[in-house]
């Protein structure tokens, strides 16, 4: 789900190559004619500026795109579920929005991987910090993101009412 508006973002059907910008370059290389994008998580706005600057070196004038903005990171089996950093995420989203960047919130909705393909020590739940919990409940992350969107003056389609959580 591309959480940024399509009028300000990129089309979902465009080809793109993704890499992490933290090492200062795209170590996996790029593909001619394919938009280079970046993935990163909750961080400082200065880091976001740096990541998009790195992406810009390889995007041939393309838009700034964070293909996966990680609101938290996965947890190992023996680690407690991470605490949502709602203010930090909203600050990052507001900053990316101010840069006219497109971003995808990962994970927007939690879920379960019922296979063992995710590695030997990583949980099969994708509910770590998701805005909508694995059971469909609305989290504080969701309501904060919704509130941010609701307060944008140029948002053409206001968010719908929030459903009640499961009893």
């Amino acid at each position: 789900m591309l959480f940024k508006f399509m009028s300000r973002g990129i089309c979902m059907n465009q080809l793109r190559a993704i890499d992490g910008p933290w090492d200062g370059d795209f170590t996996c290389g790029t593909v001619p004619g394919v938009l280079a994008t970046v993935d990163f998580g909750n961080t400082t706005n200065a880091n976001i500026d740096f990541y998009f600057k790195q992406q810009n070196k390889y995007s041939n004038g393309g838009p700034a795109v964070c293909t996966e903005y990680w609101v938290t990171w996965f947890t190992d089996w023996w680690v407690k579920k991470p605490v949502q950093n709602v203010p930090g995420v909203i600050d990052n989203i507001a900053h990316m929005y101010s840069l006219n960047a497109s971003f995808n919130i990962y994970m927007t909705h939690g879920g379960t991987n019922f296979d063992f393909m995710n590695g030997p020590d990583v949980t099969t739940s994708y509910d770590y910090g998701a805005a909508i919990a694995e059971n469909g409940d609305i989290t504080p992350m969701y309501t904060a993101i919704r509130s941010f969107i609701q307060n944008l003056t140029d948002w053409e389609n206001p968010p719908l009412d929030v459903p009640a959580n499961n009893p």
Side-chain angles (χ1 to χ4, degrees):
M1 167 188 235
L2 193 61
F3 222 89
K4 195 89 188 257
F5 346 110
M6 299 319 291
S7 62
R8 293 172 54 112
I10 72 165
C11 296
M12 290 294 286
N13 62 355
Q14 288 181 329
L15 292 174
R16 52 201 175 270
I18 306 158
D19 207 343
W22 40 85
D23 55 8
D25 64 353
F26 280 57
T27 57
C28 294
T30 59
V31 178
V34 174
L35 178 64
T37 65
V38 290
D39 288 353
F40 55 85
N42 191 341
T43 187
T44 67
N45 290 336
N47 281 346
I48 290 174
D49 293 342
F50 173 76
Y51 298 156
F52 284 138
K53 182 178 177 184
Q54 296 306 311
Q55 179 212 354
N56 188 50
K57 291 180 182 179
Y58 301 93
S59 67
N60 297 318
V65 178
C66 178
T67 314
E68 289 182 5
Y69 172 73
W70 312 310
V71 295
T72 58
W73 194 241
F74 63 82
T75 53
D76 294 319
W77 282 106
W78 56 87
V79 178
K80 289 176 67 173
K81 185 176 174 181
V83 176
Q84 294 177 328
N85 179 3
V86 176
V89 168
I90 298 304
D91 185 55
N92 284 176
I93 289 171
H95 186 66
M96 288 187 284
Y97 184 82
S98 75
L99 298 174
N100 198 31
S102 293
F103 52 91
N104 174 47
I105 296 177
Y106 187 88
M107 300 295 297
T108 299
H109 190 289
T112 299
N113 173 0
F114 291 104
D115 200 350
F116 296 103
M117 300 301 289
N118 53 323
D121 58 355
V122 178
T123 63
T124 58
S125 172
Y126 279 81
D127 195 17
Y128 48 86
I132 302 172
E134 192 169 15
N135 68 349
D137 282 354
I138 301 302
T139 69
M141 183 72 71
Y142 179 90
T143 55
I145 293 169
R146 182 183 184 278
S147 177
F148 171 77
I149 293 170
Q150 199 168 25
N151 289 309
L152 295 173
T153 58
D154 57 349
W155 187 271
E156 295 177 16
N157 300 303
L160 301 174
D161 292 335
V162 177
N165 282 344
N166 296 316

